[in-house]
Each structure stands twice: as structure tokens, then as C-alpha cells.
Amino acid sequence: MTAPLTSLDRPNSYIGRSVPRPNAKRLLAGRGRYISDLKLPRMLHAAFLRSPHAHAKIVSIDVGAARALEGVHLVATGEDLAKICTPWTGTLDHFKGMTSAPQLPLPLDRVVWAGQAVVAVLAESRAIAEDALELIEVDYEDLPLVVDIDGAREAGGPVINPGSANNICFRSHLDSGAVDDAFAQAAHVVEEEFSFGRHTAVTLEPRAIVADYDPAAGALTVHHATQTPYQFQDLYSRHYGIPEARVRVIATDIGGSFGMKLHVYHEDMAVVGLSILLGRPVKYVADRIESFVSDIHARDHRVRARMALDAGGDILAVDVLDLTAIGAFSTYPRTSVVEGNQVIRLIGAPYRFRNYRATLEVIFQNKVQTSQYRAVGHPIACAVTERLVDMAASKLGLDPFAIRAQNVIADDAYPQTSPTGYRFEALSHQACLKRLHELMDYDGLRAEQAELRKRGVYRGIGIATFVEITNPSPAFYGVGGARISSQDGAILSLTPSGEVRCLISVTEQGQGTEAIIGQIVADQLGIAQDHVKVITGDTEVTPHGGATWACRGAGIGGETALQATRALKRNILEIAALILQEQPSALDIVDGEVVDAVTRNQRMPIAEIARIAYFRSDTLPPGTQAQLTVSHHFAPQGYPFAFTNGIQGCSLEVDVETGFIKVLKHFIVEDCGRVINPMLVDEQLRGGIVQGLGAALFEECRYSETGQLMNGSLADYLVPMPMEMPDIVIAHVETPTADTVLGAKGVGEAGTAAASACVLNAVNDALAPFDTTINSIPITPVKVLKALKRF
Amino acid sequence: MKARAFSYFRAATIDQALDAHARAGDDARFIAGGQSLVPALSLRLQAPRLLIDITHIDELRGVRREGGYLRIGALTRHCEMLSEPLIAEFAPLLHAAAPFVAHPAIRNRGTFGGSVALADPASEFPAMTLALDAEIEIAGPSGSRRVKADDFFLDLFETALQPGELITAVHVPLFKADQRFAFDELARRRGDYALVGCGMLATFKNDRVDDIRISFFSVGNTPTRVKGAEATLIGSSLDAERIAAAQAALEGDLAPPDSDEVPPAMRLHIARVLLGRLLGRLGEGA
Ligand SMILES: Cc1cc2nc3c(=O)[nH]c(=O)nc-3n(C[C@H](O)[C@H](O)[C@H](O)COP(=O)(O)OP(=O)(O)OC[C@H]3O[C@@H](n4cnc5c(N)ncnc54)[C@H](O)[C@@H]3O)c2cc1C
């Protein structure tokens, strides 16, 4: 499905062109300015003493020796910070009945996970602060632990939050009705229990913050490696009682975030408080060991699911129970239940069936919090759905492509509403399936697989269709009472030399947001992109907006930039029309020149208009006030989300003696609507797929029975590396959304959404001759060898 | 994390290094490539008062033939194992193992002597000194001595080195025309410490194994020679039956440690698989 051509499809348009990111050279040359590079006068360094216990009472804390150490300026405990910081609670109103205990920067009397920060030290260097940590004595008394899902649900077992009846944070139930009937009448039922390990983001740059409170001005400036400066401006203002206008959050260059850098972390809140207590700048950069025990983790689900089909292979119904464990608190301000909520709402999303029932139970445990991380909920929903579909296909003797082609919602059947209530504007499953079949040379791969099997080489082929949630409206957080914006704002100025400055609320973490905004502005105004300067990430300068999360930068930020630019262009042409004694509609701008709209003859450079407007306004007709700065806000309207879709394919080989898996090639056909910069879109897909492959094969936070993270370092926690990664082949189908002029949807999470499902299906395909299956992610050599009963 | 404060001394000679160590009591560490020591300092797993930098001691450098041995100076870096022609020719097993040791950035700094001194049971080179029947040259306050690799690795991170002693070189018997070698490892990612690794050196007479030394790493507290398996292979032409016998013998040779990610039975299983594959290659002329 391709929309009719518009002005955005001009052959020389910046939109749809792979222009390099303007900031890439600066960052590659080592000229980036990250929080770690920042040195402020009188700045102190924070370090945190962390709990060695997963659940314990704090009996006493002795900080005397630490305070006495030379170079130490402050040793602070939970009580010190509780005096100036109000507590926060990670619940939202639209998640009915959810609970979570109030949180403070540092605990008062109890630790609830191993690695939780307990005492803060401020010193002249990080090394001295760490010396002081060694001098602090904390006396703990162990409390009964909750470390796994079964333990947490045990009747009469330990309860994490005093005063609660159980360890349930949130329960949700969806039922479209008639599910039992559908299963009773089904010709075929497939059922499986799936498990998904915890993993974490592992950004190149860890969490980092410099808080700088100026008591004389009563003003707080926070330099913060965050995706969402406005959200933090609001939170620091409200929890520390500083008027919003006196809180400034600056998001500097950021080395990756993936959702990890949009949550409130106890250390970050503490650092702000510590700066207020001393009236000095305070820096804290999490080191890798700290990141593993304090950054949010993600996933950790156990899903039981079954699917009913008729004799011909039509899916009739799906029935799901998702249990997910989130740590001791729900994360603030976005909660830790969004992932589970999206799991149960996305299962089955590509398919036509109408009968759906799902229960979600979100459970507390004594581990670090989980929360939104790239592709929130999608990989779980996708793996469960797609594995069930493959199981059904093999039961019915259908090819994986055939059963999907038979069951996906037809491309010409939109709009559609899913049984879980999601409204789909227009998706392209059929087109994507067809394209993937060719792209991966499916028949060739199957022939090769059969040939190699005869020689004892076990190749597997897996595919996985997916739907991704992008461009969220206030339905996502706003309706639940969160002060998280779904709109964005932009301020555009024509400078006196005819260039453009664009201040916009979406932010840049390395994905190229600034590049695409620059492309859109240049394209819509008709100037060269290097005449556009895009400025992001400073609440004092850029207008309030949602910033960057959940795949919204291009779709919402991009539309904001487009409309703001069109407004600026109108204003420029108005002045041009006065000068040239024409109607504005008779003029256009091309390559920085005002031209005749019809003949394209050059009339005057826009730099000349700027010069006249700024320096010789006396030559303009009386009463003219040139408006060469415009501001514009855009909030998504129409569909609550812009859903995207696609399909991935994977070819891999399983060494059935060692259990090792080699991914040979990965494929994706993706539909994110209008592609603004194909290179950036492709690299978003590749990066997302690599993170998905990491989850599928390598990444897992492994815990001991006492709630200790066993592999919390980069030596033991395996992130995917280039040598193990396959080539990734990409193709696109473009179905722009009609809700915006730009027509762009999100693309940042599509790769991650389905990569692990694809691998799961491919591994099971490879193991088919052995009459065994694996339904647990990550798929490690030990799981493969166990499935094969090799030891 | 940041290391605790320490003093630093750059030694110009072996004597200076030994002397500095003696004067600091036990509270000193030699630093060579720093690729294991620096992380340990940063994590505050070690916090010596004094670091003695040995990387400017010329006597610890260089690779040369000495009689029937190749003398490999302790400061020979992992990357030189790949680039040095004498090593490729006379100690090809080390050359074959080198690409599996960490990543280029670490190989540019990490040293052979440091790796052997640390004796990480998951490291490639210490295990290969066993397969090669190498001798470790040690300098200490009471003079210099040579210890056979067989007698060097005592327990987890414990070797025949006494506190304050320095490895000056490793002597490897020159590779001969009637010898064959094989090396491989099973690591989750290239450059990681292996789940199991193995190197072997065999001398053939009339296409039959006359002598063979097989050494495993990542299988226990020390690099481990599998003498039971070796014995089953003497006199064999590495036919399938003898290879199976050697694989079976591993059960007596190895006692893999407990681990949730690689249970002992699994480690034994993949050690057998690896041994079978390597012996197969050796039989084909490796
Ligand atoms: C990310 C990473 C991955 C790695 N992967 C691997 C791998 O796959 N395989 C592997 O084998 N290694 C690996 N290593 C370790 C690396 O090979 C080290 O270089 C090596 O173990 C130690 O050598 P070094 O020269 O760096 O020693 P240093 O770190 O300087 O010292 C290590 C220890 O040896 C002592 N020492 C050093 N030289 C001498 C000497 N001449 N005499 C007596 N004592 C001495 C020091 O006092 C110290 O106790 C890895 C390291 C890193 C950081």
C-alpha cells in the first residue's frame, strides 16, 4: 500500500534521502560533550554505599570514620534526604488497582534489593568518596526473601511491602468473550509455557548527572544524561519544592538510552538533594558494576498461552496468562506495569481472530526494578504469538508462511480494531510477508536445509510477524495522571543571514533525531540542510514537549518541525511578497531563494529578506511587523497510536553436539510509514535487531537464590558483539499515516520487537528432527544440550 | 570504581624490580600489561601500596632461539604471538592460540609473562605451556631458576612463584618436523574466556602417536593435562575407536567445577566433543 505522491516525494526532497547526521563527525572526532566531560567550579563527587543484602532491616549506620576522612564533605543517609525530598510512588490512575510503596532517594530503615544505594558520600574526588565508603559500617538484619515468581505468589510466604496482603502490584484481565466456546469447538489446540529472562540496556555511556543548586538564586541546574529533560524538570521541581521556572535540565550529548534513561533513579534524586544540602555542584556517574544492579532491567515474564484453530488452520482464539516480576517497587513516573500491559494487548495483534482472553499479574520481588526498555512488551508478545503459530503450522502440516498468509489481517481490510481494543489505521502484513519470502529466498533456504540435514548439519529457518506501537497520544501516560507530554514544540527563527535555528523538544541520544529534524526543516522551507541548526535538550531554551521515548521522535517531533517550518515559510513569503509586490501565493522558496511559484525564476535570496526585516525595517511598508520567529506545538490526534508492522526472518545453525548457535543471516521487511532518512531507519532496524538477538541468545541477568546478581559485569553479562552478529538484510513497505502531513511512524523498536521470536522459531525448526522444543529465552548452549539430552 | 591510592615505581632492571619488591614487604605488585591487574585494582579486589612497573626492563624482552628451545621474554605481548615469525615457526601452538586471547586492544598490552604468572585457569597461554612441556624462567632474591610447566601450576591462581619473584622468560622446546598440533576452544563470543578449550602437541612415528600432551583450560582450578586420555592414544593412528577411548578417559582426568551456567556434566560433555574434534584434525595432519 503506497499513498499518492505529495510534495514530500519530490525527486530532490531531503525527505527520503540518506544524508549523514550533522553531529556524527563531532562525536566520532571525540568532540562530544558528555556528563563525564563536565567539570564545574567547586564540584564534588558522589559515591554510594550499596546494600549487599536483597532484603534486610537497617539496624544502624556508623558514618563517623567516613566523615572524618580528609577530602570528604558530606556523608548523607536516607533521613538527611527525606527532610528535603518528598516521596514518590510509581503508580498511574489508568492502571486500576495498582499499588507500589512510596520511595525516597535513600532508604530509611529497610533495603529491598542487593545493590540498592544506602549511604551517599560527597568528596573532592570519586576515589576519595570510595575510600570513605570502605569506612562506613552498616548493621543489617536479614529479612525473608522473595526472589522468584513462584515464591512471590506463595500463600503465606514473605511479603515485601509491610502492610500489603501479598506481593501483587497489579492485575489486569481482558476478555472478549466466547473464548471457552472457541476452544471447545476447535479442531486443534496448541499450548506452551514460555519464560523470558531479565536483561538490561547496557548503554555505552552509563547513567550520569551533575546537579548544581545555587542557593543565592534559589535555582537548580541539572546536567543529565536523560531522554526526557522536561519530565525531570517537573519532577525535580515538585519533589524538591523549587518553582519550575527555576529548574533547568540540560541533556547534553548522550551515549545511548533505549528507555533506560527516562526513569527516576534513587541516586539521581539523591544527587540533586546533595547539591541542595551543600550548595555545590555534585557529579555522579554510575560505573558499570553499579549500572548492572541499579539501572532498570526488563522482561522477566512467564507466559502460559494456548491457541485454538479450526481444521483448516484459521486461528479462532487465544488464551494467555502472563506473570511478570518487576522488583520491589514500580518505577516512577512511568510505572513497571506498561510492559505486561503491552504484552497482553499485543499478543495476536497481526491476526484476524476475535476471541481473546488474557490475565496479567505483576509481582513484586527483591530485585532491582524493571521498566520500559526498547520494544516494551513487544518481544514477549511476539515470541508467544509467533511460536504458537509455528506450533500450529507444524501440527497442521502447513508452511510457516502459509499459515500466516492465511491468518493475517488483509492489507485492504483496514481500519481494524484488535480484540484487545487497539485501533489499527493501516498495516501491510500481506505485502511484507510476500516481500520477505522473496528477500530471504525462502525456497532456496529450505532446499539447502534439507540437503545439509542429510549430512548432520542442522539449520533452522524462523519468521515472525509483528506490530509495533508508535506515536503515542495522551492515552499512554497523560490519562493516567502522569505529567508526561505527548505533544512537542518547536521554535524556528530565520537568522539575519538567512539561516534557520530550530529549537525543538525532541531529543538526541545518538539515533539521529537532530539529523531528521534538520532534513524536514530544510525540505519544507527550501534551504540547504547545513543552513539549519537544530538545538535540543535544554529546558531553558527548547519548548516543553515529550522528548524522546516510545518511538515518537520522527512521527510527532517530525510533524511539529514540519508544521512550524510551514508557518515560518508563510511569514517569510509574506514579507517577500511585500518587497516584490506580489501575492505570497505566487512565490515559493527553493535552495534559499525566493522564486516565482510557476516559472521557478529566482526573485531574491531569503538572506536579503532577513537583512531587510532585521536591519532596514524602515524600507518596509508602514505597519509591517516581520515575524521571522515562529513557535508551534503539535499533539497527535486521530488514532491514539500509530501502529507499524513488519516481519523478520532468520537463518541459523545449531551445533547439536555443543549447543552453540550461529546466526547466519537475518532479514526484515518493515513498514514505518514515510521513511525520512533511509540510512538512519536501516541502522535503527539493525541496532534493534542486534539488541533482540542479544536477548535471544546472550543477555540475561542471572540471580542466585539469595537475590544476588551473579553476572553483573561486562565479563559475565554477554552483550552481542560484531563477530557473532549476522548480516542483516532490510526492505521496506511504506504505508504513511494519514493522521499527519508527514506520514511518519516510529521505527526504533521494530527490530527488537521480533528478532528474538524469529530466533526462537528458527532454533525450534533446526531441532525439529530431534523431537524436542525450547521455549525459554535466552537460548543458551546449556538449554540446547539439555533439550537434546546430551548430558 | 576507582583504585585505592598507591605508589608507583618504574624499574629499569630485574634487580631494581626485585629489590623494590623486597623493600615493600608483601605489599607490592609487579605490573606488566595491566590487563588483569588494573581491573582488579579498580574493583578494589587488590590494593597494594606499591606498583612496580616492569615494562621498561629490557632483559624481559625479545624472542630468540637458545639451544633446543625458543626463549620467549616475559614482556612478549599477546599481539606479538601473532606477528613474530620465530613463534609461528617454532612454537606454532602459541601462534594458533593467540587469536583466541581477548581482543586486539587487550592483546596489544597483555604480556605472555603476565598471563603465565596470573595462571588464570581459563587462560589459553598457561594451558599451552603445559602442552608444550615449556619451562618457566624465574628470577628471585635468591637467584634464578627454571621450573617445568608441569610443576608450575599448583592451585587456583597459585603457582610455584614465591612472593617477590619475577617470571623472566618462558622456554619452549622447538617445534619439530615429526610433530603436529591442534588448538580450539568453545567460547560464547569470540575473545571471551572459553567454556572449554584445549591445545595439544603430538609427536608421530610412522603415522602413529609416539608422544602426546593434551592440555585443557576452563575445566577446573588450574590448566589441566589429561594424562589418562593421553595414555590411551600412544601408539594409535587416531582411528575412531581410539579417539572414543580418549574421550571416555576424560571422565577420570577432569573434575569440572560447579556452575549454574555450565553444569559439570555439560562441561565434561563439551570437553569430550572438543577433544574428539581436535584429535580428528590431528589425525588428518592438522
Ligand atoms: C576484557 C578482557 C578480556 C580478556 N580475555 C582474555 C582471554 O580470553 N584469555 C586470556 O588468557 N586472557 C584474557 N584477558 C587477560 C589478559 O590476557 C591479561 O593480559 C593477562 O592475563 C595478564 O597479562 P598482563 O601483562 O596484562 O599482566 P598484568 O595485568 O600486568 O599482571 C597480572 C598479574 O601477573 C603479575 N605479573 C605480571 N607480569 C609478571 C611477571 N613477569 N612475573 C611475575 N608476575 C607478573 C602481576 O603482578 C599481576 O599479579 C582478558 C583481559 C581483559 C581485560
Side-chain angles (χ1 to χ4, degrees), chain A residues 139-176:
Chain A
D139 195 7
Y140 295 100
E141 207 175 277
D142 272 321
L143 292 169
L145 282 182
V146 176
V147 288
D148 60 29
I149 289 179
D150 293 324
R153 299 175 83 223
E154 213 170 273
V159 172
I160 294 177
N161 292 308
S164 302
N166 54 38
N167 292 309
I168 309 281
C169 166
F170 177 59
R171 283 184 122 252
S172 178
H173 189 68
L174 303 174
D175 195 345
S176 63

Side-chain angles (χ1 to χ4, degrees), chain B residues 21 24 35-36 39 50 56 71 79 95 118 122 124 136 138 151 165 180 204 229 232 247 256 264 269 279 283:
Chain B
H21 204 291
Q35 297 304 293
S36 296
L50 174 67
H56 293 79
R71 182 187 189 278
C79 59
H95 183 76
L118 185 67
E124 288 82 359
I136 324 293
I138 297 171
D151 303 321
E165 284 189 329
R180 295 179 198 169
F204 283 77
T232 63
Q247 287 175 300
H269 166 76
L279 289 173

